[in-house]
Amino acid sequence: MRKNFEIPRNHKDIGLRSLAVMFKDEFIPFTGLNLPKVKDVIETNVPIIEVKDRGMDLNFLLEDGTIAHIEFESDTLKENDLTRFAHYDLQLYEQRKQKIRRIIIFSSGVSHTTLKQLDIGSVKQQHDCIFLEHDFNGDETFSKIKGKIIQGQTFTNREKLEILLLPMMKTTQSNSSKRAYELTKTLEKYPQKEIAHYLIGAMVAVNYSQIKEPEKAKILEVLEMAKPFEDLYKKFELKGRQEGKREVALKLLIKGMDKETIAEITGLSEQEINELIPQKKSL
């Protein structure tokens, strides 16, 4: 008897790690906030005794040495949400001693939140809010994605990020669950099947709690016919990390560092570093 395909239990963590690793250069520009560029992705599992079985969604180390702490929310903020975020930030600050910028991204259905800060006297919290309900047009984005597939064009990294967040965006033609299924059926027509299945899996993982039946079961049937999502995730995460190493190595080459030291720092082979030399000369 065939076992039904299931998204791994840590589905949201897998999807968010995918966002962090694969789209670290696109994520902050996507929000529209005027922040420094992302320098690196940092650990989200800070030890918190008071808040069990919860973890921070995304953390990016920015070029100015601050940390962008990203949280995704599907409802308006309550005081216990800000209390939980405060626990996260204080623990992270204790570990790294770096200032933290908090950004909260609200999915469709949330157009505002009245609780924008929490002042308990000794600590005053503040954050930026991004509302996918009115800041991003899901119908236009979906139409653009369909058009690129029809024309046989490849997706940019920005467009791949939009695909993962599309079910959270505002739509007048559908709802989050139906949009996720429509997107799945559309991506099945994408010629690069491995990328298509990876995007479907990551999209479902990020939006798992928002996608309802019967659409969820239909999407999982599609993934059941593909290579298991977690295997695909690992492959693309490895690719993302490798590309990050190459970026670091190229910058060190430009600064004149010798290849042996670069290899020691990045873990790249001498041959891989030699392949970067033509890029150095063209810059």
Side-chain angles (χ1 to χ4, degrees), residues 132-180:
L132 297 181
E133 171 73 17
H134 56 68
D135 292 340
F136 297 88
N137 189 316
D139 295 331
E140 289 183 2
T141 301
F142 185 48
S143 179
K144 177 182 68 173
I145 296 302
K146 287 199 297 184
K148 295 205 71 169
I149 291 176
I150 292 171
Q151 296 169 19
Q153 300 176 349
T154 58
F155 296 136
T156 65
N157 262 11
R158 167 66 182 246
E159 288 164 344
K160 292 176 184 176
L161 175 60
E162 290 173 345
I163 287 171
L164 268 59
L165 299 179
L166 189 52
M168 298 185 193
M169 297 181 190
K170 181 179 180 179
T171 172
T172 59
Q173 304 171 3
S174 189
N175 59 42
S176 296
S177 298
K178 291 180 179 178
R179 175 51 48 81

Side-chain angles (χ1 to χ4, degrees), residues 15-205:
L16 292 174
R17 287 203 307 271
S18 180
L19 281 179
V21 172
M22 295 297 294
F23 309 112
K24 66 181 181 65
D25 294 328
E26 288 76 27
F27 196 90
I28 295 299
F30 173 84
T31 67
L33 296 174
N34 185 23
L35 296 177
K37 291 182 179 179
V38 171
K39 184 178 180 181
D40 200 0
V41 179
I42 61 177
E43 181 61 57
T44 59
N45 294 322
V46 295
I48 300 174
I49 297 173
E50 297 87 346
V51 188
K52 295 181 174 61
D53 300 324
R54 297 298 299 268
M56 306 174 84
D57 283 348
L58 294 177
N59 283 322
F60 292 112
L61 176 62
L62 306 183
E63 287 188 340
D64 66 348
T66 61
I67 296 169
H69 167 200
I70 317 291
E71 288 290 332
F72 291 91
E73 292 295 315
S74 58
D75 202 349
T76 55
L77 293 178
K78 300 177 177 61
E79 186 170 306
N80 63 340
D81 294 320
L82 294 186
T83 303
R84 173 164 54 91
F85 298 157
H87 280 294
Y88 293 161
D89 289 345
L90 286 170
Q91 291 285 351
L92 187 61
Y93 181 80
E94 184 178 16
Q95 285 184 2
R96 301 184 63 95
K97 299 297 187 289
Q98 292 167 293
K99 289 187 176 180
I100 300 167
R101 309 167 187 254
R102 187 189 304 155
I103 303 167
I104 302 176
I105 300 179
F106 295 91
S107 60
S108 63
V110 185
S111 58
H112 70 283
T113 184
T114 55
L115 190 57
K116 294 188 176 180
Q117 65 177 26
L118 181 63
D119 186 351
I120 65 170
S122 62
V123 177
K124 183 176 181 179
Q125 298 184 59
Q126 59 185 11
H127 48 257
D128 291 302
C129 295
I130 305 294
F131 296 94
L132 297 181
E133 171 73 17
H134 56 68
D135 292 340
F136 297 88
N137 189 316
D139 295 331
E140 289 183 2
T141 301
F142 185 48
S143 179
K144 177 182 68 173
I145 296 302
K146 287 199 297 184
K148 295 205 71 169
I149 291 176
I150 292 171
Q151 296 169 19
Q153 300 176 349
T154 58
F155 296 136
T156 65
N157 262 11
R158 167 66 182 246
E159 288 164 344
K160 292 176 184 176
L161 175 60
E162 290 173 345
I163 287 171
L164 268 59
L165 299 179
L166 189 52
M168 298 185 193
M169 297 181 190
K170 181 179 180 179
T171 172
T172 59
Q173 304 171 3
S174 189
N175 59 42
S176 296
S177 298
K178 291 180 179 178
R179 175 51 48 81
Y181 181 60
E182 293 166 349
L183 183 57
T184 297
K185 298 303 290 182
T186 300
L187 285 169
E188 279 194 290
K189 301 173 184 176
Y190 191 58
Q192 300 181 46
K193 296 300 182 184
E194 194 172 59
I195 291 178
H197 291 142
Y198 167 78
L199 291 173
I200 293 169
M203 178 270 294
V204 175

